[in-house]
Amino acid sequence: MASLMKCCAFFVNVLCMPLHLIHAVGLYEIYKRFFPICLYRCSIMYNKKMYDKKKDLFRSLSEFKKPDGQLTILEIGCGTGTNFQFYPPGCKVICTDPNRHFQKYLKASMGENDQLSYERFVVASGEDMGSIESDSVDAVVCTLVLCTVHNIPQTLREVRRMLRPGGAFFFMEHVVADASTWSYFFQHVLQPLWHYFGDGCEVTRETWKHLEAAGFSELQLRHIEAPLMFLIKPHIVGYAVK
């Protein structure tokens, strides 16, 4: 099975040669301008199917308010702002994303969720958010982002740096399937193509291992099967306390 999987993945990789060339000469950057449109439509579908799971996850956000009742949330890879509806009313939100072209959709989401206070939008990757002060936020949120960052351990180090002591990191991420399943097989075979479709998304990551090794004082993590297509059905969801 492993040999067949490698052969099929190689074949798909060959078929992706035009995409590799487009990326090599810099033309892939054009897609980044249109990616927010694709993600906006996909996010609506994702939220409908994952509504109950997101609502259950973010219900715990209020537990991490400061003694004065204020809750400051920093969202890594905020995208089109589809998580805003799940945040507690009155909280302050800092948005970050490496793609500046999301701002149009963010403004629309902010207008639809005026129960929140929006501090700023920072164009930054998950691995380098130096413009955000250390120990400055009560919660960091990251959904469907750790599949695209270049360095998960560095991103988690940034999360721990920005969180105040006792603050929490909330996550919902798709991960690699069990090695005994056909989902695992096709995740590895189709990964070269999926990488371009998802703007760098990797469906073969064992993200939970990085969370377990990140040094949080408490980790609440569950593996679930999301009601989505087989490539992104395996998920992890939960939160980690600094």
Side-chain angles (χ1 to χ4, degrees):
M1 181 66 76
S3 297
L4 176 61
M5 184 175 71
K6 290 180 180 179
C7 288
C8 292
F10 176 78
F11 179 70
V12 172
N13 215 5
V14 171
L15 293 179
C16 288
M17 285 303 295
L19 294 175
H20 297 330
L21 180 60
I22 288 172
H23 184 272
V25 300
L27 293 178
Y28 185 69
E29 293 300 314
I30 297 174
Y31 177 63
K32 290 183 178 292
R33 291 180 173 270
F34 295 97
F35 182 65
I37 301 173
C38 301
L39 187 63
Y40 174 73
R41 294 173 179 174
C42 291
S43 295
I44 293 174
M45 178 275 293
Y46 185 87
N47 262 10
K48 285 181 179 179
K49 295 195 173 186
M50 299 293 285
Y51 181 84
D52 290 340
K53 291 178 173 58
K54 277 195 173 185
K55 188 175 181 180
D56 182 61
L57 171 65
F58 292 129
R59 185 179 290 117
S60 301
L61 273 170
S62 296
E63 299 175 11
F64 297 94
K65 290 180 179 179
K66 294 185 183 72
D68 63 5
Q70 179 62 57
L71 176 68
T72 301
I73 299 172
L74 183 144
E75 182 167 352
I76 300 174
C78 57
T80 60
T82 53
N83 287 329
F84 294 164
Q85 62 180 295
F86 300 99
Y87 295 165
C91 70
K92 182 166 63 175
V93 182
I94 302 170
C95 305
T96 75
D97 200 285
N99 190 335
R100 68 182 73 251
H101 302 296
F102 277 116
Q103 291 190 64
K104 170 186 174 182
Y105 294 97
L106 274 179
K107 289 180 180 178
S109 292
M110 289 173 180
E112 295 168 359
N113 295 276
D114 57 3
Q115 76 277 12
L116 309 178
S117 172
Y118 302 96
E119 182 173 298
R120 52 179 161 152
F121 172 62
V122 180
V123 178
S125 66
E127 297 90 341
D128 183 10
M129 290 178 283
S131 61
I132 308 297
E133 295 181 2
S134 300
D135 304 325
S136 63
V137 299
D138 305 301
V140 174
V141 170
C142 187
T143 61
L144 304 183
V145 171
L146 295 180
C147 57
T148 60
V149 298
H150 297 298
N151 189 321
I152 295 178
Q154 175 57 26
T155 300
L156 295 178
R157 282 192 287 271
E158 279 289 84
V159 168
R160 293 184 65 233
R161 179 188 65 79
M162 295 182 295
L163 280 172
R164 65 166 175 79
F169 173 53
F170 286 77
F171 56 87
M172 179 178 285
E173 299 285 338
H174 65 77
V175 294
V176 69
D178 186 272
S180 64
T181 64
W182 280 108
S183 292
Y184 179 91
F185 177 89
F186 283 108
Q187 281 177 331
H188 285 78
V189 168
L190 298 177
Q191 177 55 52
L193 180 61
W194 187 267
H195 174 86
Y196 292 107
F197 170 76
D199 194 18
C201 177
E202 302 283 340
V203 292
T204 58
R205 292 187 172 179
E206 299 175 320
T207 307
W208 67 90
K209 293 184 178 180
H210 296 288
L211 284 161
E212 291 168 351
F216 288 101
S217 64
E218 177 187 349
L219 177 60
Q220 299 289 334
L221 183 152
R222 293 185 296 122
H223 288 259
I224 64 171
E225 291 293 305
L228 303 166
M229 67 174 293
F230 67 96
L231 283 179
I232 55 173
K233 183 180 285 288
H235 269 55
I236 57 170
V237 59
Y239 65 88
V241 181
K242 179 175 177 179

